[in-house]
Amino acid sequence: MARINAVSFHENPSIEAICRAVRKAGFDSLELSRPPFYFKLTTSGTRRRFADWAANLGLTLYGFDCWVEVDPYTRFDETLADFRRAVDWAAELNLGLLISHDPWAAVNGGRGPADCQRTCVELFRQVADLCLDRQLRLVFEPHPDTLSMNNTWATDFIDALGAGRPPGSVGILYDCCHYGVGQEEDYVNAIRLLDTRIGHVHFADGDARTYALHLPLGDGCLNLEAIVAALKAVGFSGTLTNDLFHYPLLEDGASHNAQRIREVEQALGLANP
């Protein structure tokens, strides 16, 4: 199985066109995104119809990159309500995984890392409960401008959220591109430090400079073989998705990547849902 992140195609408003392009490129699974899927599939009826249509197309659905705007400091209740709606949406489509992030640096403002973590734990323990109740795993995607890009902050955060919950129900999303920019000299070693907390991977190449430029495999400078070896060394057994967010030639890049993603899954011994 090869899965790709639909957010790569977010500028295309047609969910039919996105799904057909993904299948033509050789992918058979799709991680759903906020635009356009969440914005267009607004009723239970349309969600059921879409799921049936995608299955007939030969496309499985797994994961929701929910992209809730996280502000636990001034919009705690509103943020939690946004997550509740996202969890319900993902559960109704049986997506199995909710992807989020901790607050952007601009939202954290002048707050210290410890203060930010206390408030984020307060919010996301409730989000984790919502996910657990709906049989969804919850993972956090560090970006170069989030505190979770610091390995110590991230491990403390995930351990606090996971306390008292089933193993693997809360984890980190390792995005090759983001770590290549945020930890240019240490992105492979980060895998060893994060260890079994890594629950999901966005596998892509990158140039180790440009924010969120996810390149086709082999088009960047990241040591992808070392990343795979490090994931294997920590016993990674989670799920994996290709990402081409911000790449300008999406269909060509997807066609280039599909078989290579299958080879990465095979190397890791993954049996993705």
Side-chain angles (χ1 to χ4, degrees):
M1 177 181 292
R3 178 180 302 117
I4 193 166
N5 190 348
V7 77
S8 305
F9 299 83
H10 74 283
E11 292 179 341
N12 188 333
S14 170
I15 60 179
E16 290 177 296
I18 291 171
C19 292
R20 290 193 176 109
V22 163
R23 287 295 287 135
K24 182 179 179 182
F27 285 87
D28 43 27
S29 186
L30 190 65
E31 181 180 294
L32 298 188
S33 54
R34 196 172 188 89
F37 294 85
Y38 183 78
F39 293 148
K40 286 183 174 287
L41 301 173
T42 57
T43 68
S44 293
T46 57
R47 290 189 281 273
R48 286 194 300 270
R49 186 69 187 90
F50 168 70
D52 291 343
W53 178 85
N56 288 333
L57 193 66
L59 200 59
T60 65
L61 308 173
Y62 185 83
F64 176 35
D65 199 345
C66 73
W67 212 258
V68 168
E69 290 299 330
V70 180
D71 182 354
Y73 315 113
T74 64
R75 295 184 63 254
F76 189 102
D77 291 342
E78 295 91 337
T79 302
L80 184 59
D82 285 345
F83 273 112
R84 184 174 289 108
R85 287 187 286 270
V87 166
D88 289 344
W89 191 89
E92 190 167 4
L93 283 164
N94 196 30
L95 297 180
L97 176 74
L98 191 81
I99 299 168
S100 185
H101 56 83
D102 53 302
W104 309 120
V107 177
N108 290 330
R111 300 173 180 87
D115 290 339
C116 292
Q117 186 166 117
R118 278 192 293 271
T119 305
C120 286
V121 167
E122 182 184 358
L123 170 69
F124 282 111
R125 281 190 67 86
Q126 295 187 55
V127 176
D129 286 341
L130 293 172
C131 288
L132 193 60
D133 287 345
R134 304 302 299 274
Q135 298 181 307
L136 298 169
R137 292 191 297 134
L138 174 63
V139 294
F140 292 85
E141 182 176 8
H143 293 70
D145 57 346
T146 60
L147 286 169
S148 58
M149 185 52 71
N150 177 285
N151 296 324
T152 299
W153 194 97
T155 55
D156 289 347
F157 177 57
I158 295 302
D159 290 349
L161 292 180
R165 291 178 171 79
S169 59
V170 179
I172 285 284
L173 188 162
Y174 182 92
D175 183 298
C176 304
C177 170
H178 294 324
Y179 274 88
V181 174
Q183 297 191 33
E184 182 180 355
E185 303 298 326
D186 214 29
Y187 61 88
V188 175
N189 189 50
I191 295 170
R192 181 185 65 82
L193 298 173
L194 296 169
D195 199 29
T196 56
R197 298 173 187 85
I198 301 174
H200 189 59
V201 171
H202 278 170
F203 202 83
D205 213 334
D207 66 2
R209 294 188 305 274
T210 308
Y211 188 102
L213 177 59
H214 298 74
L215 296 173
L217 307 183
D219 280 16
C221 65
L222 300 183
N223 190 338
L224 299 178
E225 292 79 10
I227 290 173
V228 171
L231 288 168
K232 195 169 184 177
V234 299
F236 174 71
S237 60
T239 46
L240 182 143
T241 299
N242 181 222
D243 201 340
L244 285 168
F245 187 61
H246 278 181
Y247 183 64
L249 303 175
L250 291 172
E251 294 182 39
D252 179 72
S255 297
H256 175 85
N257 280 348
Q259 181 55 34
R260 296 191 183 196
I261 289 296
R262 289 188 176 88
E263 292 168 0
V264 171
E265 289 180 329
Q266 184 176 15
L268 292 171
L270 300 182
N272 276 338

